[in-house]
Amino acid sequence: MYSFKNDYSEGAHPKILEALIQENLIQNDGYGLDPHSLHAAELIRQEIGRDDADIHFIVGGTQTNLIAIATALRPWQAVISTDKGHINVHETGAIEATGHKVLAMPVKDGKLTPADILKALDHHTDEHMVQPKMVYISNSTEIGTQYTKAELEALHHICRQKDLYLFLDGARMGSALTSPVNDLTLKDIAQLTDVFYIGGTKNGALYGEALIINHPDLKPDFRFMIKQRGAMLAKGWTLGIQFEELFQNNLYYDLAAHANEMSALLKKGIQSCGYSFFSDSSTNQLFPILPDAVIAKLKKDFLFSIQERFDDSHTVIRLVTSWATREDACKEFIKSLESCK
Amino acid sequence: MYSFKNDYSEGAHPKILEALIQENLIQNDGYGLDPHSLHAAELIRQEIGRDDADIHFIVGGTQTNLIAIATALRPWQAVISTDKGHINVHETGAIEATGHKVLAMPVKDGKLTPADILKALDHHTDEHMVQPKMVYISNSTEIGTQYTKAELEALHHICRQKDLYLFLDGARMGSALTSPVNDLTLKDIAQLTDVFYIGGTKNGALYGEALIINHPDLKPDFRFMIKQRGAMLAKGWTLGIQFEELFQNNLYYDLAAHANEMSALLKKGIQSCGYSFFSDSSTNQLFPILPDAVIAKLKKDFLFSIQERFDDSHTVIRLVTSWATREDACKEFIKSLESCK
Amino acid sequence: MYSFKNDYSEGAHPKILEALIQENLIQNDGYGLDPHSLHAAELIRQEIGRDDADIHFIVGGTQTNLIAIATALRPWQAVISTDKGHINVHETGAIEATGHKVLAMPVKDGKLTPADILKALDHHTDEHMVQPKMVYISNSTEIGTQYTKAELEALHHICRQKDLYLFLDGARMGSALTSPVNDLTLKDIAQLTDVFYIGGTKNGALYGEALIINHPDLKPDFRFMIKQRGAMLAKGWTLGIQFEELFQNNLYYDLAAHANEMSALLKKGIQSCGYSFFSDSSTNQLFPILPDAVIAKLKKDFLFSIQERFDDSHTVIRLVTSWATREDACKEFIKSLESCK
Amino acid sequence: MYSFKNDYSEGAHPKILEALIQENLIQNDGYGLDPHSLHAAELIRQEIGRDDADIHFIVGGTQTNLIAIATALRPWQAVISTDKGHINVHETGAIEATGHKVLAMPVKDGKLTPADILKALDHHTDEHMVQPKMVYISNSTEIGTQYTKAELEALHHICRQKDLYLFLDGARMGSALTSPVNDLTLKDIAQLTDVFYIGGTKNGALYGEALIINHPDLKPDFRFMIKQRGAMLAKGWTLGIQFEELFQNNLYYDLAAHANEMSALLKKGIQSCGYSFFSDSSTNQLFPILPDAVIAKLKKDFLFSIQERFDDSHTVIRLVTSWATREDACKEFIKSLESCK
């Protein structure tokens, strides 16, 4: 059975694996203080156009989120997110476990707006309530949508005005940046956010997220926090090597572009069959609304997740493509879908 | 200026103060291990009809909430509340500061239903999400409404069925129990909840809440938690004395009944003037919807809180009465209101 | 049985009680925003000679300690204390519950020295270890000793040099300041510490500690933290009134001086009987080393705590005097002791 | 320069790397729910002789420690460790960050005894102090020593008697189990502890620790805690594959035995030169006491850590060997050492 369950079903892209093999028996200093990690950080600084950025490599996304947020906030402060935000729903209360409230604003399309932020601020006015201090967004979002440059600029502006940190979770940023409707660059993102991360796990690395800190307030002593939360990998150079590969020869973008092409292929086929989508995605996550009977048939040959019930006879499913998704598998999926009609 | 801002604007009821004065120079053991605290606990056990209850006296409500909830939950577990719940809005993230997520369910009338609980459970299905384990309700609620016996039984039933602890915040329970529409007794509440508290601060005590633990899981080592959170009062017998007074000669009910009478007087006057209310309250908190011009005039002679804007020309205010509220002050308020027309 | 168990066995000094009674039915704003709290803060600012100090009134000592420390430290930072420090031993892990390590340095006399601090710093050198950032001391200490001005200046100096906050727990500071060997004033302490508190509970108040923040880093948003930890008393003006009384007409010093006189009386009597002491105390806590047989006899008429076993036949006990200790009780105790010989 | 700094300077053992390469493009379910993880757990259950054990694979040691301890303890409970314990010194307060105090007992040889545990219990007697509930030991210890079967049985016995959980940190257990003085087996350890882990990172894996839960109290909902702390690896099957390799064909023991052989070679050479050791180690960590002048010369060709100053002219250094340590490098080191004389 072919799986469209997620973008971390396979290991590492062969070039990344090859680099790890090459280095395997060479001695390196531990905990990210090795030449590969330093070099990878330098490559990313060039790519984002910020010499002043602090860059840390961390194994996974939940870790990265909780460390970044808990470092930024004082004990009584809170982070504003959409109600669909990964930190609000799918991290088992990781942020609350660090002592902070997630202020979840209801949204339809997975994207936060300045109006949502102002609403959160309006409701939190004195010391009997938490103090909002950070804004968390994902790009691409949890439902596959993505921010335009104008939207991100607006968020940047309101955050500056209201003295809030803007944090962008880029677990799936490769897919956003290479989508046909994208008008953002890594350079833009590095100018418009205070801290963000570039996901490796969901874009061809065996593991690893590159956290980029732009705001000087968030930089001091950051490695203490990484260590305390158990996120300082002993063989940290394996993270460095993977990001060296991703940011040499355009690999980061190429892998994400492949995921998007596969997703576009699925999208076109689903549309041709007359089905619509729960969200307007041009990234590697699609949320088609399908009849329950069709889903039952597709399940025999493909793995995918159920997102939520749509109505009495329809359900939203989630299809995810990756750097490793095979074109023939996508075509098989569409063929199966067509045969269900 | 007379204040209807809250029910803790004055000190203690004279009988309670007198008892404190009588005991003032008598030596007592500290930390709640004195005869007065033991006696007060015994009086409450009789009143609630549970010999097996553990009873602890704690200075304030936020402390009581955070200690009860953090003791009940394992690190990955969450508490279900209404979106208006005191723990969700007005405790500066005290629950999150203990590491736990508050799952806030939107409600209109301040009351949680079994359907709300089921909805929360339906959305939390695996280890990528928090695990709901406790239900938090307030009686009377944050907007003055109150639970019927049937409603509380339904909550009790669903909590038993789904293995959830039911916690009732009774900071203003006196007002609920003596309201004209009440059909609950302390005995009922002690049978239908796993842990609840009887508020003293807002019903004639200088300070103090009596926490009653019915469920055996929540009893062991509870005093460790009280001490750790800084809530074990050195001169703990002063809490015992206050609750002795409240639960002798019906004082707890008499004081609450007076608050309700004063509130009823205000309610009737406001209705006579043709104004309606934001919530259907028969307790000591009223939320009339008044024209902004009227509010401006009332503000010259009375203190009260602004709840929220209702429409372009109307605002919801909050009026609170207490055991100490003077009848003539209520009449003056209504006279002022009438003169605004 | 007369109790020398602690200095919080009785209620409030009559003058303080009288002031509470006078105000009892007067309406006041809640949460410490009332005129009495503001006035008491002003009186203390005058007494300590710092117009710039932020002053907050909090019900108890453990609360005050945990709030002050957790506000000062970032998540990876630690507080240096003696191994006998109240925060290290007798607060049920309250500081650790806020996420911070207490670095406990072994001392003999209850007092921390610059050498202890340097030792702690020497052992914590990189991000694999916690980062010391605050120094916690008590005056008088947990074993009745007290700092000289020269000692406190030395601690102040090393803290400035090493960029550490200096926090002084003054739960029993009245006794230290009025002891015959004292050479410190509140003005000195306010100049030499970054944050400290003046204990009321153990010096004649019904409850209450006055936290004084001198360092500007620790001031912003402090009330958020008080509220979050459940330490913002609803009827906060009762704290204000008590500290108004303590800092008018010298009451704070008079009460502490009485405790010391009673303690001196006990000390002289114990010395006359030929017994020595576990620590060199001129404050209201004495730690005589007594034969077990003597202790057994004294226990029939007096209450006191056992501190620790000294040798096979001797034990250290703790005797505490207070503003309320009766001279005749002290004489009775000495008479009993003499009769044991 | 050859490094004896640690046992995680190289990547993975070639067999492990090969297995990862073989699986690289095969789709697997995420988060440890794949066949490899299940199979590896089964292999370990056979090796330890406990069908009832729950087994979880976690990326690193600090994570594993903090998750195991924070799951076992209620908020007011503490863990007993030696003062040299990794959790006490080298994890940046990771345990305190979960809210729990580490009770550090001073030891000379890195090993905890029943007497140390009893001492900790004797000092923690009521609710004003933390409640010890877990005992943490490492085998081999932080200074290379190791427990005998009799010692571990004694710890097991006292823990059963006093109702304490016994947790063994086995980050370097392979080296302990294959040392010439060892008389323990994994089966013994699985019978004598409540929870322990088998370290992969320091014994040939790219990353990964296998946590084995024997006590039924600690099993429920454990995956929630793994996820919440950011320790649930997306591509979890890579952990399963690595432990499959380690526990097939004796690889786990063979790799550790090689490290010990290299260490024995160094030890013999150092002893021949007339130097003594800070601790009595037969495992892969050696702590020779060397003249400062010798250390200065060795530093030109070798990397190693400084443990601590011994006296005015001598320092304790730390040498660590691993599965990858080359015999010729050890011989070179000894030759250098000899040439220093």
Side-chain angles (χ1 to χ4, degrees), chain C residues 5-18:
Chain C
K5 280 179 78 171
N6 55 51
D7 33 17
Y8 40 89
S9 295
E10 292 92 359
H13 184 268
K15 282 187 188 165
I16 290 173
L17 197 58
E18 184 59 31

Side-chain angles (χ1 to χ4, degrees), chain C residues 144-311:
Chain C
T145 54
Q146 62 190 103
Y147 288 87
T148 64
K149 189 171 178 181
E151 288 168 343
L152 191 60
E153 282 171 342
L155 290 173
H156 170 78
H157 183 69
I158 192 84
C159 285
R160 275 287 165 282
Q161 199 176 27
K162 300 297 182 182
D163 202 19
L164 302 167
Y165 299 121
L166 181 55
F167 173 34
L168 187 148
D169 173 337
R172 290 193 173 99
M173 192 154 55
S175 177
L177 293 177
T178 57
S179 119
V181 304
N182 176 62
D183 67 350
L184 277 165
T185 65
L186 275 182
K187 282 191 173 63
D188 295 331
I189 286 165
Q191 289 302 320
L192 297 172
T193 64
D194 295 303
V195 52
F196 72 104
Y197 74 89
I198 299 175
T201 302
K202 292 169 178 168
N203 196 27
L206 206 50
Y207 47 87
E209 320 293 309
L211 184 70
I212 292 115
I213 309 181
N214 301 314
H215 197 299
D217 284 2
L218 310 181
K219 293 176 183 174
D221 298 329
F222 200 85
R223 282 175 57 84
F224 283 80
M225 197 66 172
I226 296 178
K227 174 65 191 174
Q228 185 186 72
R229 304 298 157 146
M232 190 170 278
L233 191 65
K235 302 182 182 179
W237 69 87
T238 61
L239 289 160
I241 287 170
Q242 295 186 72
F243 276 92
E244 282 182 310
E245 289 304 309
L246 284 171
F247 284 94
Q248 278 168 344
N249 306 316
N250 220 44
L251 187 64
Y252 173 74
Y253 298 104
D254 289 348
L255 297 185
H258 174 81
N260 285 347
E261 282 161 31
M262 294 304 101
S263 165
L265 213 151
L266 288 174
K267 189 177 177 180
K268 199 177 147 196
I270 293 165
Q271 285 173 325
S272 299
C273 291
Y275 299 120
S276 62
F277 292 87
F278 177 70
S279 70
D280 182 22
S281 166
S282 301
T283 64
N284 72 324
Q285 292 188 94
L286 297 176
F287 297 84
I289 303 164
L290 300 179
D292 293 343
V294 169
I295 292 171
K297 281 186 192 168
L298 290 170
K299 268 186 175 173
K300 290 176 190 158
D301 296 311
F302 299 95
L303 294 170
F304 47 82
S305 325
I306 298 301
Q307 182 75 3
E308 59 180 76
R309 177 146 287 283
F310 184 74
D311 62 22

Side-chain angles (χ1 to χ4, degrees), chain A residues 31 33 70-77 99 125-131 217 220-225 227-229 232, chain C residues 31 33 70-77 99 125-131 217 220-225 227-229 232:
Chain A
Y31 303 121
L33 301 174
T71 302
L73 302 183
R74 304 305 315 278
W76 54 90
Q77 294 177 335
T125 53
D126 68 35
E127 67 262 26
H128 294 262
M129 287 162 270
V130 292
Q131 186 181 72
D217 284 2
D221 299 328
F222 200 86
R223 282 174 58 82
F224 283 80
M225 196 68 173
K227 175 65 190 173
Q228 184 185 74
R229 305 298 157 145
M232 190 170 277
Chain C
Y31 303 122
L33 301 174
T71 301
L73 302 183
R74 305 303 317 275
W76 54 90
Q77 294 177 334
T125 53
D126 67 33
E127 68 262 27
H128 294 262
M129 287 163 271
V130 292
Q131 186 182 72
D217 284 2
D221 298 329
F222 200 85
R223 282 175 57 84
F224 283 80
M225 197 66 172
K227 174 65 191 174
Q228 185 186 72
R229 304 298 157 146
M232 190 170 278

Side-chain angles (χ1 to χ4, degrees), chain B residues 21-310:
Chain B
I21 295 165
Q22 288 301 322
E23 188 78 8
N24 190 51
L25 291 180
I26 297 169
Q27 290 190 318
N28 267 291
D29 264 355
Y31 303 122
L33 300 174
D34 62 281
H36 293 288
S37 297
L38 299 178
H39 181 223
E42 195 45 45
L43 288 172
I44 292 175
R45 271 191 213 95
Q46 286 167 24
E47 185 67 28
I48 65 171
R50 286 195 75 139
D51 286 349
D52 64 330
D54 274 11
I55 299 181
H56 303 276
F57 300 105
I58 297 175
V59 170
T62 297
Q63 271 186 338
T64 307
N65 284 334
L66 79 88
I67 291 170
I69 293 170
T71 301
L73 302 184
R74 304 305 315 277
W76 54 91
Q77 294 178 335
V79 57
I80 300 170
S81 162
T82 75
D83 57 348
K84 294 175 174 59
H86 206 258
I87 58 166
N88 189 48
V89 183
H90 278 101
E91 300 186 356
T92 320
I95 304 310
E96 289 85 358
T98 69
H100 301 285
K101 194 176 188 75
V102 178
L103 294 170
M105 309 307 292
V107 299
K108 288 261 170 187
D109 62 356
K111 294 197 278 182
L112 203 71
T113 64
D116 298 321
I117 295 171
L118 287 173
K119 194 175 165 194
L121 294 179
D122 282 351
H123 280 77
H124 293 85
T125 52
D126 67 35
E127 67 262 25
H128 293 262
M129 288 162 269
V130 293
Q131 186 182 71
K133 183 65 185 171
M134 185 175 242
V135 168
Y136 166 93
I137 56 171
S138 309
N139 194 37
S140 62
T141 72
E142 293 77 7
I143 54 170
T145 53
Q146 63 192 101
Y147 287 87
T148 64
K149 189 169 177 183
E151 288 168 342
L152 192 59
E153 283 171 341
L155 291 173
H156 170 78
H157 183 69
I158 193 84
C159 286
R160 276 286 166 281
Q161 198 177 28
K162 299 297 183 182
D163 201 19
L164 302 167
Y165 299 121
L166 180 56
F167 173 34
L168 186 149
D169 173 337
R172 290 194 173 99
M173 191 155 54
S175 178
L177 293 177
T178 57
S179 117
V181 304
N182 176 62
D183 65 352
L184 277 165
T185 65
L186 274 182
K187 282 190 175 62
D188 295 332
I189 286 166
Q191 289 302 321
L192 297 173
T193 65
D194 294 303
V195 51
F196 72 105
Y197 74 90
I198 299 174
T201 302
K202 292 170 178 167
N203 196 28
L206 207 48
Y207 47 89
E209 319 292 310
L211 183 70
I212 291 114
I213 309 180
N214 302 314
H215 197 298
D217 284 3
L218 310 181
K219 293 176 182 175
D221 298 328
F222 201 84
R223 281 174 59 83
F224 283 81
M225 196 68 173
I226 296 178
K227 174 65 190 173
Q228 186 185 72
R229 304 300 157 144
M232 190 170 278
L233 190 66
K235 302 181 183 180
W237 71 87
T238 61
L239 289 161
I241 287 169
Q242 295 185 72
F243 277 91
E244 283 181 309
E245 289 304 310
L246 283 171
F247 283 93
Q248 280 167 342
N249 306 316
N250 219 44
L251 188 64
Y252 174 74
Y253 299 103
D254 290 348
L255 297 185
H258 175 81
N260 285 347
E261 283 160 31
M262 294 304 102
S263 165
L265 213 151
L266 288 173
K267 188 175 176 180
K268 198 177 146 195
I270 293 164
Q271 285 174 325
S272 299
C273 291
Y275 300 118
S276 61
F277 293 85
F278 177 69
S279 69
D280 181 21
S281 166
S282 301
T283 64
N284 73 323
Q285 294 188 93
L286 297 176
F287 298 85
I289 304 163
L290 300 179
D292 293 343
V294 169
I295 293 170
K297 282 187 191 166
L298 289 171
K299 268 185 173 171
K300 290 176 190 158
D301 296 311
F302 298 96
L303 294 170
F304 48 82
S305 323
I306 299 301
Q307 183 73 3
E308 60 179 78
R309 176 146 288 284
F310 185 74

